[in-house]
C-alpha cells in the first residue's frame, strides 16, 4: 500500500446511520438536520477499538527515538501518530439497507439513516476505505511523507468490516473549541 488517497467513483449517496435512543443521540441527529453539518471525530473516538491496530510499519532500518518499540509492540510511529491524532474523520456508508449497519449504528433498527448527495458535501476529499485481509505494510522509510502514511492508516480497516462499504472525509481539526464539522449544501 502506498498511502495514496482514492477519490474516484464516489457514490451518489453517502449515508450516516444514527441512534435516536436517548436525548443526546436525538440531539445529534437534529443538529445534523437543522444545522446542515456532520460532526468530524478524532480516530480515538470511532467505534472500532482496533482502528488501525492491525497495521505493520516497515521502518526499513531508518529510525527515530522509540522506533523499535513501534515495530515490536505495534505502536504508531510518533511522526505519523501526531498527524493521525490531529485529523478529524466523518465516516459514511455507501449503502442504506445493511442489516448490520442498522443493528450497529441505528439502535437495532430503531434509529435513522440519513443520506446525503456526495456532491453536496462541502468536503475537500471523500475517500473510500480499503479493507485488508492481512496486515499490510506501509513503507515509512521516507519520513518526508508522514501525511501519506497517516492517510493510509486512517483509510485502511480490517477485512471483516467490508460490509460497511465505508467512505471517509478526513480534515484537520479546525476549531479551538474542539468541534469540527463538515457542512453540506441545502437539499444535500
Amino acid at each position: 500500500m502506498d498511502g495514496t488517497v482514492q477519490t474516484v467513483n464516489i457514490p451518489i449517496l453517502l449515508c450516516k446511520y444514527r441512534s435516536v435512543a436517548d436525548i443526546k443521540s436525538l440531539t445529534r441527529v437534529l443538529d445534523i438536520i437543522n444545522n446542515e453539518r456532520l460532526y468530524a471525530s478524532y480516530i480515538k473516538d470511532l467505534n472500532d477499538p482496533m482502528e488501525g491496530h492491525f497495521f505493520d510499519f516497515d521502518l526499513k532500518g531508518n529510525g527515530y527515538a522509540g522506533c523499535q518499540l513501534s515495530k515490536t509492540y505495534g505502536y504508531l510511529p510518533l511522526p505519523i501518530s501526531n498527524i493521525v491524532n490531529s485529523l478529524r474523520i466523518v465516516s459514511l456508508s455507501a449503502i442504506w439497507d445493511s442489516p448490520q449497519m442498522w443493528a450497529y449504528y441505528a439502535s437495532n433498527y430503531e434509529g435513522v439513516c440519513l443520506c446525503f448527495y456526495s456532491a453536496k458535501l462541502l468536503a475537500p476529499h471523500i475517500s473510500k476505505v480499503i479493507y485488508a485481509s492481512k496486515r499490510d505494510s506501509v513503507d515509512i522509510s521516507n519520513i518526508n511523507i508522514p501525511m501519506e502514511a497517516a492517510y493510509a492508516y486512517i483509510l485502511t480497516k480490517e477485512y471483516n468490516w467490508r460490509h460497511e462499504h465505508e467512505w471517509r472525509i478526513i480534515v484537520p481539526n479546525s476549531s479551538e473549541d474542539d468541534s469540527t464539522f463538515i457542512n453540506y449544501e441545502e437539499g444535500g
Side-chain angles (χ1 to χ4, degrees), residues 9-152:
N9 301 323
I10 298 172
I12 293 171
L13 288 178
L14 289 170
C15 306
K16 184 78 170 170
Y17 292 83
R18 296 296 305 185
S19 170
V20 292
D22 54 48
I23 294 296
K24 184 177 180 180
S25 299
L26 178 59
T27 300
R28 288 180 176 171
V29 168
L30 292 174
D31 182 72
I32 293 170
I33 296 167
N34 293 331
N35 296 310
E36 299 177 343
R37 64 186 189 177
L38 295 163
Y39 179 73
S41 301
Y42 287 111
I43 195 166
K44 68 179 178 58
D45 297 327
L46 299 179
N47 70 305
D48 180 4
M50 298 305 293
E51 192 76 51
H53 286 261
F54 70 98
F55 236 84
D56 281 332
F57 288 89
D58 184 357
L59 300 171
K60 300 277 189 202
N62 293 331
Y64 54 87
C67 71
Q68 192 55 42
L69 287 174
S70 295
K71 189 159 180 76
T72 304
Y73 298 106
Y75 297 116
L76 189 59
L78 189 59
I80 299 168
S81 177
N82 290 340
I83 293 170
V84 167
N85 292 327
S86 73
L87 296 173
R88 305 296 286 261
I89 302 161
V90 175
S91 297
L92 301 162
S93 177
I95 54 174
W96 60 269
D97 59 352
S98 165
Q100 295 97 333
M101 299 291 280
W102 278 99
Y104 296 158
Y105 305 115
S107 304
N108 271 338
Y109 296 87
E110 293 179 2
V112 297
C113 178
L114 303 171
C115 296
F116 306 91
Y117 289 107
S118 56
K120 300 244 182 188
L121 291 167
L122 303 175
H125 298 286
I126 302 173
S127 304
K128 186 175 185 174
V129 167
I130 299 161
Y131 299 98
S133 59
K134 64 179 179 64
R135 296 181 86 161
D136 284 344
S137 180
V138 173
D139 178 3
I140 61 164
S141 60
N142 180 355
I143 203 65
N144 293 326
I145 56 165
M147 184 62 81
E148 283 188 24
Y151 269 69

